[in-house]
Amino acid sequence: MSYKDANIIQKFMEHIKTYDSENFIKSILFCFGAPTIKGIKAACLINFRRREDENMRTLWKSNADKWLAPLGVKWLLLNEHDENNNALVLIYRRELLARALGCDRACEILKSCGYPLDDLDACLTCLRKKIGGEFPHEIGLFVDYPPDDVKCFMENKKCENQLRNGYWKVYNNVRKARRTFKKYRKAECDAARLILTGK
């Protein structure tokens, strides 16, 4: 991330601290969900939280459809039953996610982890069930990370052989990863600028 980009995200985070809970969640959604909302990333994983006494999960459930349905974006609450008040949410574009999970390499990884391969909804339900236990590192496939990098990370969590670090740990094709990181960051920064100007 460039200094300029880091600065705009920092300004954005400072600015929204004063927002009420609903506008705080909405701002985080539209900034950090921007790559998916704009259709350049199949899905984004966002953890909405601020203060312990702030029930983000209830607020999310009452507003998410209103915010996302007009944009053609779906969502899945991954931590429905834990005791915290945060909301761990996967927002996704159904067609893009089906394509990301449907490639041969992704299918091979998902099958080895016990996921059903013929039904996207069943696959998402399986992911939600796994969240309650040991963290499922194959979640990288659901947020559109390259399957080869996801596989390398799953086999080498110490990341000894990684070539670059950004939205994910990169083990292959650094040039392509850099280009992808720039696209994702640009979408987030553009959204942050709009929110800072009141749009």
Side-chain angles (χ1 to χ4, degrees):
M1 188 189 331
S2 72
Y3 173 76
K4 189 176 177 184
D5 287 347
N7 195 31
I8 196 71
I9 294 296
Q10 186 178 351
K11 272 186 187 175
F12 165 78
M13 293 304 293
E14 283 297 317
H15 182 74
I16 66 171
K17 276 182 183 176
T18 60
Y19 283 13
D20 64 40
S21 300
E22 186 176 321
N23 283 307
F24 176 82
I25 291 178
K26 191 175 179 183
S27 297
I28 292 288
L29 168 65
F30 284 111
C31 179
F32 297 109
T36 295
I37 291 167
K38 288 187 168 194
I40 58 176
K41 187 173 190 278
C44 289
L45 183 66
I46 307 173
N47 190 11
F48 297 97
R49 68 177 172 195
R50 189 162 53 169
R51 297 184 306 269
E52 282 185 27
D53 63 338
E54 213 169 11
N55 196 326
M56 294 294 185
R57 205 170 307 159
T58 300
L59 276 167
W60 173 262
K61 288 195 285 188
S62 14
N63 290 289
D65 286 334
K66 172 178 68 178
W67 294 332
L68 291 174
L71 304 170
V73 175
K74 305 285 187 188
W75 60 273
L76 178 70
L77 181 64
L78 293 173
N79 65 332
E80 179 80 50
H81 301 296
D82 75 18
E83 52 199 43
N84 300 314
N85 283 327
N86 68 307
L88 181 63
V89 177
L90 183 77
I91 67 161
Y92 62 96
R93 289 197 171 273
R94 193 172 180 85
E95 285 181 21
L96 295 181
L97 184 57
R99 190 181 313 148
L101 298 180
C103 75
D104 290 345
R105 191 75 170 117
C107 285
E108 180 186 308
I109 297 165
L110 290 170
K111 186 176 180 182
S112 73
C113 295
Y115 287 82
L117 301 180
D118 55 346
D119 182 339
L120 180 59
D121 293 321
C123 210
L124 289 166
T125 298
C126 186
L127 174 68
R128 184 167 47 194
K129 286 178 184 170
K130 285 176 174 253
I131 288 288
E134 185 179 336
F135 192 79
H137 293 289
E138 68 276 7
I139 199 170
L141 298 170
F142 289 82
V143 289
D144 216 356
Y145 298 165
D148 286 333
D149 286 341
V150 172
K151 181 71 170 169
C152 287
F153 179 74
M154 290 170 70
E155 291 172 348
N156 176 27
K157 293 186 185 73
K158 293 180 181 176
C159 308
E160 292 162 351
N161 302 318
Q162 73 173 357
L163 304 172
R164 185 171 174 83
N165 190 4
Y167 285 83
W168 68 86
K169 311 284 185 194
V170 180
Y171 298 87
N172 310 275
N173 205 335
V174 174
R175 184 177 296 172
K176 185 177 179 184
R178 274 198 198 111
R179 286 196 306 266
T180 303
F181 293 170
K182 280 183 184 175
K183 282 196 295 187
Y184 294 170
R185 183 54 69 187
K186 182 180 185 313
E188 291 172 355
C189 290
D190 288 349
R193 286 186 187 95
L194 286 172
I195 292 164
L196 285 168
T197 56
K199 296 180 182 174

